[in-house]
Amino acid sequence: MKPSALTIGKFDGVHAGHARLLRETISLAAKFGVAPSVLTFDPHPACVVSPERAPRPLTSLDDRCALMRGLGIEQIFILRFTPEIARLSPEEFVVRYVRGEMQARGVVIGGNFRFGHKQSGDASTLTALGERYGFETRLVAPVARRGMIVSTSEIRSLLERGEVSRACRLLERPYAISGEVVHGFGIGAKQTVPTLNLRPPREVLPANGVYITRTTDPENGRRWNSVTNIGVRPTFGGEDLSIETFLLDALDGPTPACIRVEFLRRVRDERKFDSADSLKRQILFDVGRAKMFFQRVGKWARALN
């Protein structure tokens, strides 16, 4: 690793608060002429310290790294979190990793930063250690959006309530999930409308319901406006969770092996219909609402240009 300006954390979601930490890290790196860097953890420390309370992630490790690099981070040090790491005192952690592996000339943290055995170290601890071991410590204030403090836990809570539009504001981008396209139950193609079925990922899912979405084939960049249902298909007596996406535009080519689905707006709750025909009529109504949404978005985009 090159000498660094460093920020430390899980960075799950890489949301607006994380983005401010990363920008401050890039600024500090320019001051010292070193590489803007991140020290992050895998798995989530809670998976080791208290597995029963470990949350589902918002983003995969690969997506976290891609997002941070996209914001200008040059070095990402992924520390495998183990019981041994959990037992390190704050000073041992600084000596071994902050000044050792990362050769940090400066460290950027948020006000709720905790580190070391049983989270015994905080911002003041790190500042004192920085004075002792020769690195600058910068503290970054929390970020708020419309009166709401941006945090991973708040975004997770919004998604679990289906409030994807509000989550988007805190993330500064649409929330997205990616995964393999799998065979469905054959019901859509025969009785309602054909869909692409996504294998449920490890990451947090928005609450069951119908959403206006945008779907991408990561392999070749094909992109479609879409409507996505998350749920158990109650009209057909389903019990297993499914993620079914109806494309508003023609597929025009082979069925993708994997897709990425971005959630833009919630349309309605999932509910049981009296018949497949009733469900099909509702789906077509949902599709109409989605097309109107994308027409409005297109007008706004043209007006801005």
Side-chain angles (χ1 to χ4, degrees):
M1 305 294 284
K2 299 175 184 176
S4 69
L6 180 67
T7 186
I8 306 168
K10 298 177 288 293
F11 296 97
D12 186 17
V14 194
H15 53 58
H18 295 145
R20 180 171 291 181
L21 286 168
L22 299 175
R23 288 193 295 268
E24 190 65 27
T25 302
I26 292 166
S27 172
L28 191 58
K31 171 183 174 180
F32 290 120
V34 295
S37 306
V38 165
L39 193 162
T40 191
F41 307 96
D42 186 59
H44 191 294
C47 294
V48 174
V49 177
S50 52
E52 70 283 354
R53 295 192 296 109
R56 293 183 73 177
L58 295 179
T59 46
S60 68
L61 180 61
D62 286 346
D63 282 349
R64 269 190 284 159
C65 291
L67 288 165
M68 290 189 288
R69 289 191 182 281
L71 290 169
I73 294 300
E74 296 177 10
Q75 297 186 135
I76 301 174
F77 184 82
I78 301 166
L79 180 59
R80 180 157 184 79
F81 200 85
T82 64
E84 178 194 5
I85 300 297
R87 288 191 292 268
L88 292 177
S89 70
E91 185 167 5
E92 288 170 332
F93 182 83
V94 163
V95 170
R96 184 180 298 188
Y97 295 108
V98 177
R99 284 299 286 160
E101 296 276 0
M102 300 301 297
Q103 305 175 59
R105 297 283 305 280
V107 181
V108 178
I109 55 171
N112 62 351
F113 179 73
R114 297 291 184 276
F115 71 115
H117 184 54
K118 294 185 177 180
Q119 298 188 325
S120 56
D122 58 13
S124 61
T125 309
L126 188 66
T127 300
L129 289 169
E131 293 171 355
R132 185 180 309 168
Y133 290 101
F135 59 85
E136 179 180 332
T137 303
R138 283 192 186 177
L139 189 63
V140 174
V143 172
R145 290 288 183 271
R146 297 192 180 184
M148 186 183 304
I149 298 298
V150 179
S151 70
T152 299
S153 58
E154 184 61 43
I155 294 168
R156 185 179 289 111
S157 178
L158 289 172
L159 292 171
E160 290 171 348
R161 298 197 301 269
E163 298 182 44
V164 295
S165 298
R166 296 181 70 192
C168 177
R169 296 188 197 112
L170 274 57
L171 286 164
E172 297 185 327
R173 66 180 187 281
Y175 183 69
I177 57 174
S178 301
E180 178 186 359
V181 174
V182 295
H183 291 294
F185 297 88
I187 296 170
K190 297 176 183 177
Q191 300 188 50
T192 55
V193 294
T195 59
L196 295 177
N197 298 278
L198 179 67
R199 185 186 301 279
R202 290 181 58 248
E203 288 73 45
V204 171
L205 285 176
N208 287 6
V210 178
Y211 297 87
I212 298 171
T213 55
R214 187 176 289 115
T215 300
T216 305
D217 179 352
E219 185 175 341
N220 54 30
R222 290 185 296 169
R223 200 176 191 188
W224 306 273
N225 297 334
S226 52
V227 174
T228 298
N229 183 81
I230 300 176
V232 295
R233 301 168 297 107
T235 301
F236 303 104
E239 295 181 354
D240 297 328
L241 182 71
S242 65
I243 306 168
E244 301 172 306
T245 294
F246 174 73
L247 305 181
L248 305 188
D249 311 302
L251 185 59
D252 287 338
T255 300
C258 296
I259 55 174
R260 177 180 177 85
V261 179
E262 296 178 333
F263 292 85
L264 307 179
R265 178 167 295 183
R266 184 176 176 87
V267 176
R268 61 176 175 85
D269 293 340
E270 183 184 48
R271 62 186 179 91
K272 184 175 181 179
F273 290 83
D274 295 334
S275 67
D277 284 342
S278 296
L279 172 58
K280 184 174 182 177
R281 286 195 295 271
Q282 180 63 56
I283 292 172
L284 295 176
F285 181 76
D286 297 337
V287 166
R289 293 182 64 182
K291 287 181 176 179
M292 291 178 61
F293 170 84
F294 286 113
Q295 286 172 2
R296 289 196 300 271
V297 170
K299 288 180 181 178
W300 293 335
R302 288 191 294 272
L304 290 173
N305 291 332

